[in-house]
Amino acid sequence: MRRPVPLGFVGYRTCPKRLSQQIPSHVRRFKPFHHRLSGGQLRFTSASSTTQAAQISAQDARSLATRLKNLLLGTTIGLTLVLGYYYTTDTRASIHEWLVIPCLRYFYADAEDAHEFGNRALKALYSFGLHPRERGNDDAKGDLAIEVFGHTLQNPIGTSAGIDKHCDIPDALLAAGPAIIEIGGATPLPQEGNPKPRVWRIPSQRALINRYGLNSEGADHIQMRLRQRVREYAYHMGFGIDEEAEQRILDGEAGVPPGSLHEGKLMAVQIAKNKWTPDQDIEAVKRDYVYCVNALARYADIVVVNVSSPNTPGLRGLQKSEPLTDILTAVVGAARKVKRRTAPAVMVKVSPDEDGDVDVRGICDAVWESGVDGVVVGNTTRRRPDALPRGYNMPAMEQRIMLEQGGYSGPQTFERTVALVKRYRKILDEGFYGRNGMEPSPLPESKPSSGSETPTFSTIGTPVQAPEVTHPPTTMDEIEETVTRDKENLKPQTPEAETNSQSQPLFRLPERHTSSSSSPSPEAESPASPSASSSPHPPPTSSSPTNITPSSSHPEPSTQAPSSSDTPPQEPSRKIIFATGGITNGTQVLEILSAGADVAQ
């Protein structure tokens, strides 16, 4: 009788050798069962290994496909980020015009809130290096280079004041491409400006009406930011971060303008008086402007005196010739005392509404009398131009906005800006030629249009003088007379004369004149050498000055306006004109420059 197999044997999973050792002896003699069991166990083990190998192969295949897919996905994401970075940080990218601006207008119904958010966002992006910038180096060709106040600028484009009122984003604005930026306006003490809302959009006209009222954080607050900016730049350039390093940067040791801190670019700071300062008290008004100059001019390349804001009561009354001359004289004197190697240029910003002949000539006279370096022509206007295109009926909401008090700015003001620039250029140049004893005349290659009286200049921003030209004789009798005289003076062609000519040097340098020489030399009396009295440009002597003060340096100012008897006469320089108002594209920039402006804002 067969004994039953123990239950523990059935579930025993091990190798065949150990399995056979565990089989009882009375069962081990049944070889068919043993072989079947062993063979079955072997067959089961072989099938399991094949299945595992197949599973591993399938997993490896899936893993390779996954790795390739992840690599492709990662590469795509990386390229998208890189290309997106280069695209979105390019100022020419269409996304800024067609996506960013509409989103700002959608989420911020108030234009001032959108403006402030944009400045905060731009400041944050600049801190991480994600700010929009001008890609490429097109300005390196020099096609648009101009010379302004002794600096060679990369292009004639600038930004107007109001974009960066509190000096939050000067470097971000410079990175966008303009050669000149203007921050401010800054007032001596902080002031809130007019109550909100004070900015309105007119979308159909691409225009704005604002009555900010020169809201400012104060000159001292802006000075603190400008000082920190200079010291951070000094630390980055290896000069240190103390006051001495700051002074070295302001003195130009870094090789960049002390205001912009960027080669080929300038930074202007606009200043204004506080609204509670009485306009009739000219001395108080002068103290306001001088206070701002003392605080901010040290960190600026250009100081812009704002006497044309339409939102500060009584400010435009200061554009009359007499008070304006007093104010500008005080500002120029304070700017020349700035603790810096070179003094900043001074400009005055005038209103587009005071465009009468008496007003324009009075402002130009004040510019010449005070020694101001230039004029910023244009500001927001109190007038309301007709809608564009002609005959367009604006929506009811925009018609209500047009009735708001404040300064209007938009493309409709461009034609008036062009006309005003021509008038200022004409009158300023009349003063330039009159003070230099010259008559204004167009250059030979210029072809002014009919009815245009504005003189043209071959180089924008560079003073062009009209030197006296001595014309040679042109009649046939005079020509024949000179030929006959030269023939009579020729020596006869003889062997002795040929020998003497070969022994003589080709050029004979005149002997240097010294104070010890009391008698003229034989060469001076000979007909071949010109006499001193016949020379149109006599050599400098010990009594004549040999050093000419450059235009960037200024004489020591006094508390009163300098008179001709107190200071030596200096040759006036041509005044620079910045134009602002309605300029929206490159074609208009060319037109405004052709009208006589040096920089288009």
Side-chain angles (χ1 to χ4, degrees):
M1 182 177 177
R2 297 181 179 179
R3 295 181 180 179
V5 179
L7 295 176
F9 173 77
V10 177
Y12 195 88
R13 301 293 182 90
T14 182
C15 61
K17 182 177 180 181
R18 295 188 61 183
L19 181 62
S20 61
Q21 294 176 357
Q22 298 295 331
I23 300 176
S25 58
H26 65 276
V27 178
R28 198 179 302 167
R29 65 175 177 269
F30 295 100
K31 292 182 179 181
F33 173 79
H34 175 259
H35 283 289
R36 285 197 304 269
L37 186 61
S38 299
Q41 182 69 21
L42 289 175
R43 285 194 300 270
F44 174 78
T45 303
S46 177
S48 176
S49 300
T50 303
T51 304
Q52 292 178 359
Q55 292 177 352
I56 292 174
S57 299
Q59 292 176 358
D60 291 341
R62 288 194 300 268
S63 177
L64 178 61
T66 302
R67 287 197 296 268
L68 291 176
K69 183 172 66 175
N70 293 339
L71 178 62
L72 180 61
L73 180 61
T75 303
T76 302
I77 294 175
L79 288 176
T80 302
L81 291 176
V82 171
L83 295 178
Y85 165 78
Y86 277 96
Y87 176 74
T88 56
T89 57
D90 190 346
T91 56
R92 298 180 177 89
S94 301
I95 189 175
H96 303 300
E97 180 180 1
W98 300 107
L99 180 61
V100 176
I101 299 301
C103 287
L104 283 175
R105 292 175 178 174
Y106 178 79
F107 290 107
Y108 293 94
D110 186 83
E112 184 176 0
D113 293 339
H115 182 193
E116 292 177 353
F117 174 81
N119 281 8
R120 290 196 303 268
L122 193 57
K123 184 178 181 179
L125 291 174
Y126 185 83
S127 63
F128 292 102
L130 301 176
H131 58 286
R133 68 204 72 184
E134 188 179 27
R135 295 291 180 188
N137 195 15
D138 296 336
D139 291 337
K141 301 177 183 178
D143 299 338
L144 300 176
I146 60 170
E147 185 177 349
V148 174
F149 302 131
H151 298 273
T152 300
L153 304 185
Q154 298 176 357
N155 56 69
I157 306 300
T159 62
S160 298
I163 298 177
D164 188 12
K165 284 180 170 290
H166 313 303
C167 191
D168 293 318
I169 50 173
D171 294 302
L173 290 179
L174 287 168
I180 295 178
I181 65 169
E182 185 177 348
I183 66 172
T187 56
L189 299 177
Q191 62 182 28
E192 293 293 334
N194 294 320
K196 297 182 180 181
R198 53 192 179 186
V199 185
W200 297 268
R201 303 187 188 102
I202 309 175
S204 68
Q205 303 300 302
R206 301 178 63 188
L208 286 173
I209 292 178
N210 87 84
R211 57 165 179 258
Y212 274 111
L214 286 173
N215 55 310
S216 173
E217 295 179 352
D220 294 335
H221 191 86
I222 296 177
Q223 179 198 41
M224 182 175 57
R225 290 182 176 174
L226 291 173
R227 183 192 296 119
Q228 179 182 359
R229 176 173 174 265
V230 171
R231 294 199 177 189
E232 288 178 354
Y233 180 83
Y235 180 79
H236 176 73
M237 298 299 294
F239 288 90
I241 201 169
D242 55 359
E243 185 177 356
E244 181 181 357
E246 173 190 345
Q247 187 63 43
R248 293 177 64 185
I249 296 297
L250 296 178
D251 286 338
E253 294 188 22
V256 294
S260 69
L261 304 179
H262 288 73
E263 184 179 0
K265 299 186 177 184
L266 300 177
M267 184 179 72
V269 176
Q270 184 187 116
I271 60 175
K273 76 175 188 69
N274 282 116
K275 63 181 180 181
W276 53 77
T277 303
D279 307 312
Q280 297 79 12
D281 190 352
I282 299 300
E283 293 301 322
V285 173
K286 288 164 59 176
R287 284 195 296 269
D288 275 14
Y289 284 104
V290 170
Y291 184 91
C292 292
V293 171
N294 294 335
L296 303 175
R298 191 163 177 250
Y299 305 99
D301 301 309
I302 306 169
V303 175
V304 179
V305 181
N306 184 358
V307 291
S308 59
S309 172
N311 302 310
T312 301
L315 185 62
R316 289 190 172 184
L318 300 176
Q319 294 182 105
K320 295 180 180 179
S321 182
E322 184 176 352
L324 183 60
T325 302
D326 292 341
I327 295 170
L328 295 181
T329 301
V331 170
V332 171
R336 290 175 179 175
K337 295 179 182 178
V338 168
K339 186 183 176 183
R340 208 173 71 184
R341 183 173 298 174
T342 58
V346 178
M347 304 184 73
V348 57
K349 188 166 188 174
V350 299
S351 166
D353 297 332
E354 279 69 26
D355 54 356
D357 290 337
V358 176
D359 298 326
V360 174
R361 289 191 178 275
I363 293 173
C364 292
D365 290 341
V367 167
W368 280 111
E369 293 298 329
S370 61
V372 168
D373 300 292
V375 180
V376 179
V377 177
N379 204 331
T380 55
T381 176
R382 290 174 179 170
R383 303 176 184 177
R384 297 296 181 260
D386 297 332
L388 291 178
R390 295 187 182 277
Y392 174 78
N393 292 324
M394 291 189 296
M397 180 180 294
E398 293 185 0
Q399 292 181 9
R400 289 194 298 270
I401 292 176
M402 291 290 284
L403 300 177
E404 292 286 349
Q405 296 294 323
Y408 182 95
S409 58
Q412 297 85 351
T413 62
F414 174 73
E415 296 298 332
R416 293 190 59 214
T417 302
V418 173
L420 202 57
V421 166
K422 290 181 179 179
R423 297 182 63 186
Y424 272 97
R425 173 53 67 202
K426 177 179 180 296
I427 297 176
L428 286 173
D429 285 347
E430 287 176 357
F432 167 71
Y433 288 114
R435 284 166 171 76
N436 285 278
M438 297 183 298
E439 292 293 333
S441 59
L443 296 178
E445 64 270 13
S446 64
K447 296 181 180 180
S449 59
S450 60
S452 174
E453 299 178 357
T454 304
T456 58
F457 296 86
S458 58
T459 304
I460 299 175
T462 304
V464 178
Q465 300 180 1
E468 297 182 359
V469 179
T470 303
H471 297 281
T474 55
T475 62
M476 292 301 299
D477 295 339
E478 292 175 340
I479 294 176
E480 291 179 358
E481 182 180 352
T482 56
V483 173
T484 304
R485 184 178 65 250
D486 292 340
K487 285 182 178 181
E488 293 175 355
N489 293 332
L490 289 177
K491 294 181 179 180
Q493 187 70 19
T494 61
E496 293 80 4
E498 182 70 21
T499 304
N500 293 334
S501 64
Q502 292 180 358
S503 62
Q504 303 245 350
L506 185 61
F507 296 100
R508 181 182 295 276
L509 297 176
E511 295 184 2
R512 184 180 300 274
H513 174 74
T514 60
S515 58
S516 61
S517 58
S518 58
S519 61
S521 61
E523 290 82 356
E525 296 179 354
S526 63
S529 62
S531 62
S533 60
S534 63
S535 175
H537 301 286
T541 61
S542 59
S543 61
S544 62
T546 57
N547 293 331
I548 299 190
T549 305
S551 59
S552 59
S553 62
H554 299 277
E556 186 67 19
S558 60
T559 56
Q560 298 180 355
S563 61
S564 58
S565 60
D566 298 333
T567 58
Q570 295 183 355
E571 182 180 353
S573 59
R574 177 175 174 263
K575 302 302 181 183
I576 300 297
I577 292 180
F578 290 2
T580 177
I583 306 171
T584 58
N585 54 61
T587 303
Q588 291 179 338
V589 169
L590 292 177
E591 186 174 351
I592 207 76
L593 296 179
S594 300
D598 303 295
V599 173
Q601 293 182 300

